[in-house]
Amino acid sequence: VANDMSCRLPHHGAHADDFVILQNTTENPEMLGNPCILTEEEAEKLIAPFRKELQEKMTEYSVPAMCVYNGDQTGLFYSMLPNTLYIKEDERKNFRGVKAMKSKERVTVMITTSAEGDKVPLTVVGKAAKPECFRNLPGKTKTPLPYTNQKSAWFEKYVMEWYLKEVFWKHFMKVHSPDQHCILILDNFGGHKLDENCLPKIFIFYSFHPTSQTVISPRTWA
């Protein structure tokens, strides 16, 4: 990594040995996320019934690939500063960590795209009903991205229902015919599981075993 870093520096004469990686911890890095502990063959066997059901639904209701969407949430730690820095070894004593490196202030962002690349607007869930930064919006200007609040900045069922009705379906009708059915693929998180009659033209598939998500669900990699 250091060698690659030195090659990218704008000045000449820099060497990898001149740099150290400064971190705010001496512990080994922790690997986060959903571990894929299944092999591709095992995941394929697990997902086969889902694929069969999905194909049958697409055929029954004439749902093309452009109307098949996959969505998932990710956390955005907007106040967190980087905790790794490349510096000259003889300058290390001039640098130190700050509390913002471990800031847990975050919002949740919903990311949804179709099988053919159509992107639903990113949707943000925060804790505050009216964040201070919204005061900078002129007049009654809407926020650049759809926004709602929840006490933990998370997608509970009522937030998911709001998202489907106010963001996803409105976007879908702008891109496709209002009479067109669509399929939305989500993971099996409890907040995703809504009344099937919430929006009758949206078929929601709760598809993935936790250990196979990184093999099957593209949004998990986000």
Side-chain angles (χ1 to χ4, degrees):
V1 174
N3 278 320
D4 180 67
M5 183 69 182
S6 65
C7 292
R8 296 171 184 267
L9 291 173
H11 61 275
H12 300 287
H15 300 282
D17 293 340
D18 295 333
F19 293 86
V20 296
I21 301 176
L22 181 65
Q23 296 179 304
N24 68 333
T25 177
T26 57
E27 298 177 357
N28 292 328
E30 180 182 2
M31 302 301 291
L32 303 178
N34 294 316
C36 180
I37 63 176
L38 296 182
T39 64
E40 290 191 14
E41 291 75 16
E42 291 171 330
E44 180 66 30
K45 183 177 180 180
L46 186 64
I47 207 67
F50 161 77
R51 284 182 171 166
K52 181 175 182 295
E53 183 182 359
L54 176 62
Q55 187 59 55
E56 290 175 350
K57 188 70 70 174
M58 292 176 67
T59 301
E60 180 181 358
Y61 289 91
S62 301
V63 180
M66 68 176 67
C67 296
V68 178
Y69 289 77
N70 177 212
D72 202 359
Q73 298 92 20
T74 186
L76 175 61
F77 293 86
Y78 57 88
S79 293
M80 182 180 290
L81 296 178
N83 64 357
T84 302
L85 181 68
Y86 290 93
I87 61 172
K88 286 280 189 178
E89 188 169 10
D90 58 2
E91 296 178 356
R92 182 167 185 166
K93 63 182 180 180
N94 298 325
F95 292 82
R96 63 182 179 83
V98 294
K99 289 184 178 181
M101 288 179 171
K102 296 184 178 181
S103 172
K104 298 299 182 182
E105 290 295 323
R106 68 166 177 82
V107 294
T108 297
V109 182
M110 181 70 171
I111 306 170
T112 304
T113 58
S114 76
E116 293 194 353
D118 175 47
K119 299 177 179 64
V120 179
L122 295 175
T123 301
V124 180
V125 179
K127 294 181 181 180
K130 295 182 179 180
E132 288 293 324
C133 61
F134 285 8
R135 293 185 179 183
N136 296 324
L137 295 173
K140 296 184 178 180
T141 305
K142 293 183 178 180
T143 55
L145 298 174
Y147 176 88
T148 190
N149 70 295
Q150 192 267 346
K151 62 180 181 179
S152 300
W154 192 237
F155 264 70
E156 289 190 346
K157 287 186 177 181
Y158 74 90
V159 176
M160 191 64 198
E161 185 173 342
W162 167 85
Y163 171 76
L164 289 178
K165 293 180 177 179
E166 299 299 324
V167 182
F168 178 80
W169 187 244
K170 287 184 178 180
H171 170 81
F172 184 85
M173 288 194 295
K174 290 180 181 179
V175 180
H176 306 283
S177 167
D179 296 326
Q180 175 66 55
H181 288 79
C182 72
I183 292 173
L184 176 59
I185 302 173
L186 302 169
D187 61 29
N188 53 11
F189 168 59
H192 292 162
K193 298 183 178 181
L194 306 175
D195 184 349
E196 294 182 357
N197 297 320
C198 176
L199 281 171
K201 291 187 180 295
I202 301 178
F203 300 113
I204 301 179
F205 278 68
Y206 309 107
S207 56
F208 307 121
H209 189 281
T211 56
S212 66
Q213 287 189 35
T214 53
V215 174
I216 305 300
S217 175
R219 288 298 102 215
T220 298
W221 287 102

